[in-house]
Amino acid sequence: MSAPAGKAEPRPVAVPFVDLRPCTEAIRAGLLTDLAELLDSGAFVNGPAVEAFEREFAEACGRRFAVGTASGLDALTIGLRALGLEAQDEVVVPALTFVATFEAVVHAGGRVVVADVRDDDACLDPAAAAAVAGPRTRFLLPVHLYGQMADMRTLGELAARHGLQVLEDACQAHGAERDGLVAGGAGAAAAFSFYPAKNLGAMGDAGALVLDDEEVAATARALREHGQTSTYHSEHVGLTSRLDTFQALVLRRKLPLLGRWNDERAAAAAFYGEALREVGDLRLPAAASGALHVWHLYTVRTADPTGLAAFLAARGIGTKRHYPEPPHLAPAFAHLGHRPGSFPVAEAIARETLSLPLFPGISEQQLQAVVDGVREFFSRG
Ligand SMILES: *Cc1c(COP(=O)(O)O)cnc(C)c1O
């Protein structure tokens, strides 16, 4: 509704939770050229663009190989299978994550074993993981949540002690680092998602597995394409999970800009960190010492996240909660037999969490509008 004529009401600044248009605009012209060539070639599956992106992305992760897939979930599933997961092998996952981490274990034929997260970084707690690792445990599947790597040094030592393989869920952490390790370079293999809103996002679904072992890479390539090791010769029961050629073109255009976009995310996070210090009962996220956080999400904790979300929504400010339902309490995973209280740290974060708008290209005016809204919510008394 417009204000009555003559009355100089300042127009409220709308702030969507995420706006992908700035990143799209940055590659529009180049992509349209690529698209014209793609249409002329008619080669919509596989081809040189996919291979080129795989080379470039592997190099960005400090890895020998990348295997493009149709999604992050498929990269996780294929990763577990290619690394040799056998039926009923146990995989330790953190209690706070996107549900895909749990789903991948089930799709690969393994058993989900849940361990709580740490209060400070919201990632898999190495002590909790050690406590649940038993004789049938074969894998650790830590998640680099919200853009910050899990404590991979400590988890790596734990894995070595127990003879476990580590697959990283790096779906939220393109470009992150911690203690001299890079996201995607710290386990036996790592899975990435290129869902549009991820730090490196396609224009549809896409993912990749990165790793160094040539044989595991060959198995992963077979699994994404009907288990075929050569044309019409299937060694495994596989999937149709190739990386679309069009998505490879998008990702090749975007990869060189990832560092700049992550810097923009960090600048926005620093703005919030400064402006929201000691506001209400807010607990602000922070980078661990020795960590390069890439701020996939800016998640605050507060006693009434849904009240704050509704207050902001009324001012045209979008928020989201990551994640209100920890996967161990989802009906889909009722068979694991967990109850409220099973993983108290993850459940406390799930109750209190709210993610504020943050994306490359968010303006200072938009950040200020969010800050003003949050401050007003807490000053109403
Ligand atoms: C996005 C995401 C996935 C799954 O990615 P899709 O591409 O949507 O399948 C897995 N794990 C985490 C932590 C994610 O954020």
Side-chain angles (χ1 to χ4, degrees):
M1 240 177 30
S2 53
K7 200 162 167 233
E9 277 286 316
R11 194 137 45 90
V13 182
V15 191
F17 176 65
V18 62
D19 185 350
L20 301 177
R21 286 171 299 182
C23 294
T24 301
E25 283 313 308
I27 66 158
R28 176 192 288 271
L31 184 64
L32 287 175
T33 311
D34 296 343
L35 183 57
E37 282 175 26
L38 178 67
L39 298 189
D40 289 339
S41 79
F44 301 128
V45 166
N46 294 333
V50 173
E51 283 170 29
F53 173 69
E54 288 177 334
R55 266 196 312 279
E56 291 155 4
F57 191 64
E59 193 184 322
C61 299
R63 291 293 202 169
R64 288 182 67 203
F65 306 108
V67 179
T69 59
S71 71
L73 171 59
D74 283 358
L76 285 164
T77 306
I78 289 171
L80 288 170
R81 287 185 62 189
L83 287 168
L85 181 142
E86 288 172 11
Q88 303 305 313
D89 282 350
E90 291 178 358
V91 182
V92 178
V93 300
L96 188 71
T97 183
F98 180 55
V99 69
T101 315
F102 280 48
E103 289 176 311
V105 176
V106 174
H107 290 317
R111 291 184 52 199
V112 176
V113 173
V114 188
D116 213 343
V117 297
R118 259 167 44 176
D119 190 65
D120 56 355
D121 64 9
C123 293
L124 183 60
D125 180 346
V132 296
R136 308 200 53 175
T137 305
R138 291 275 315 281
F139 287 90
L140 295 183
L141 180 36
V143 179
H144 306 323
L145 199 69
Y146 306 149
Q148 169 151 258
M149 284 180 73
D151 180 358
M152 294 302 292
R153 289 272 172 209
T154 310
L155 289 166
E157 287 161 18
L158 167 68
R161 255 197 329 275
H162 290 254
L164 311 176
Q165 299 202 78
V166 181
L167 174 65
E168 302 166 66
D169 181 338
C171 291
Q172 299 190 0
H174 317 67
E177 299 175 17
R178 186 162 175 178
D179 303 327
L181 299 169
V182 303
F192 286 89
S193 166
F194 305 119
Y195 179 80
K198 306 285 170 148
N199 292 45
L200 179 62
M203 294 181 178
D205 283 304
L209 183 73
V210 299
L211 72 172
D212 293 326
D213 187 292
E214 194 157 10
E215 222 171 290
V216 177
T219 306
R221 273 187 216 105
L223 287 172
R224 74 173 166 184
E225 201 152 11
H226 308 291
Q228 297 180 137
T229 48
S230 57
T231 307
Y232 302 135
H233 174 68
S234 290
E235 291 274 349
H236 319 275
V237 178
L239 302 163
T240 301
S241 185
R242 293 170 290 242
L243 172 65
D244 277 348
T245 307
F246 172 69
Q247 303 306 345
L249 293 171
V250 172
L251 293 165
R252 287 196 76 196
R253 289 281 170 190
K254 284 191 169 184
L255 182 57
L257 302 171
L258 175 63
R260 197 175 87 202
W261 288 338
N262 280 346
D263 289 346
E264 287 183 35
R265 287 175 181 274
F271 186 100
Y272 283 143
E274 192 56 38
L276 294 176
R277 206 152 27 122
E278 283 162 29
V279 172
D281 72 340
L282 284 186
R283 274 183 66 185
L284 304 181
S289 84
L292 177 71
H293 196 314
V294 293
W295 302 101
H296 173 58
L297 296 168
Y298 191 87
T299 53
V300 301
R301 290 174 65 176
T302 178
D304 183 16
T306 50
L308 176 55
F311 185 82
L312 293 174
R315 302 176 63 129
I317 295 168
T319 58
K320 266 187 147 179
R321 302 192 63 230
H322 301 87
Y323 295 91
E325 178 183 76
H328 70 275
L329 299 179
F333 293 94
H335 64 275
L336 299 178
H338 297 302
R339 295 272 174 281
S342 294
F343 303 102
V345 181
E347 290 168 28
I349 297 172
R351 271 194 306 277
E352 298 168 4
T353 193
L354 187 70
S355 303
L356 302 181
L358 189 150
F359 48 87
I362 191 169
S363 70
E364 193 159 323
Q365 206 189 14
Q366 288 176 312
L367 290 167
Q368 191 61 52
V370 177
V371 166
D372 292 345
V374 172
R375 285 180 164 277
E376 196 179 318
F377 174 78
F378 284 107
S379 65
R380 293 163 319 156

